[in-house]
Amino acid sequence: LAKTTQPISMDSYEGQEVNITCSHNNIATNDYITWYQQFPSQGPRFIIQGYKTKVTNEVASLFIPADRKSSTLSLPRVSLSDTAVYYCLQTGANNLFFGTGTRLTVIP
Amino acid sequence: SAVISQKPSRDICQRGTSLTIQCQVDSQVTMMFWYRQQPGQSLTLIATANQGSEATYESGFVIDKFPISRPNLTFSTLTVSNMSPEDSSIYLCSADRENTGELFFGEGSRLTVL
């Protein structure tokens, strides 16, 4: 099984930039790196996906170094509504396993 | 993005009974997946359901306990058989329409077994 490692929890004040890093110990050549957000009592929601370098969309940026052994999800200027669990996945053919997730708590 | 509906959203069941959870996608998808999530825990993949073939189960999950149907490209069911309190969990349906690794999830079905 692919294994990702990420911090169990993080706290941040409103308005700050938050960076959550994930380790991808045995990422395969065909795997993408995908991040999901999950609020209580809801299914996970796709945030962003990348293969290498930097990807940015309207909600986040994803930084992936050349060796692809890690990835960093960057959330600019978080608000209270960003309090959630964030999961990083190595996604490819038959590779859809969630790690422990990082519980982000945004403090007013 | 696909919209996924699950039924029931929650149920309370007696030990020894079985419950079937339905998952409807608003568009045709190639791959559908069933996950289980215990309170406060991450998601665990139960099985992958492809139309026209038997579901593929992950380690620790067997067809007799979690039979799955996939009659067409928009629908799947998961049955939790002979339930015990240990089966109390949230069961989530997911789909990967374009085989991109981008998964869309239903809201989940919260099952409590007494």
Side-chain angles (χ1 to χ4, degrees), chain B residues 19-101:
Chain B
L19 177 74
T20 295
I21 302 168
Q22 299 179 5
C23 179
Q24 179 73 55
V25 189
D26 69 344
S27 58
Q28 293 185 341
V29 294
T30 303
M31 303 179 74
M32 294 181 73
F33 310 92
W34 287 97
Y35 286 85
R36 182 172 71 182
Q37 187 172 31
Q38 309 277 12
Q41 302 295 313
S42 182
L43 287 79
T44 300
L45 182 62
I46 297 172
T48 300
N50 294 324
Q51 194 263 339
S53 62
E54 206 168 87
T56 303
Y57 289 84
E58 298 300 320
S59 176
F61 299 96
V62 295
I63 187 171
D64 290 345
K65 176 66 176 178
F66 298 100
I68 287 171
S69 79
R70 181 79 199 276
N72 56 53
L73 291 174
T74 63
F75 188 78
S76 178
T77 67
L78 170 75
T79 298
V80 186
S81 303
N82 189 25
M83 289 184 286
S84 67
E86 292 71 33
D87 295 318
S88 296
S89 188
I90 298 171
Y91 292 85
L92 292 142
C93 171
S94 176
D96 172 12
R97 180 171 55 189
E98 299 173 358
N99 286 324
T100 61

Side-chain angles (χ1 to χ4, degrees), chain A residues 11-83:
Chain A
D11 293 338
S12 176
Y13 287 102
E14 261 189 306
Q16 289 188 330
E17 178 184 78
V18 171
N19 296 307
I20 306 174
T21 297
C22 179
S23 297
H24 306 276
N25 295 324
N26 57 346
I27 191 166
T29 302
N30 294 331
D31 287 345
Y32 281 74
I33 295 170
T34 311
W35 284 79
Y36 291 84
Q37 176 191 54
Q38 186 178 29
F39 297 113
S41 301
Q42 294 186 23
R45 185 182 70 169
F46 171 88
I47 301 175
I48 197 166
Q49 183 182 77
Y51 186 82
K52 198 183 288 186
T53 64
K54 178 182 176 181
V55 179
T56 298
N57 62 22
E58 63 274 11
V59 297
S61 295
L62 177 60
F63 301 90
I64 303 171
D67 66 4
R68 304 197 332 120
K69 297 294 186 183
S70 66
S71 66
T72 299
L73 175 73
S74 181
L75 304 173
R77 297 180 298 282
V78 294
S79 64
L80 297 178
S81 62
D82 292 316
T83 293

Side-chain angles (χ1 to χ4, degrees), chain A residues 77-96:
Chain A
R77 297 180 298 282
V78 294
S79 64
L80 297 178
S81 62
D82 292 316
T83 293
V85 179
Y86 293 82
Y87 295 96
C88 62
L89 275 75
Q90 296 165 197
T91 53
N94 301 316
N95 192 12
L96 298 162

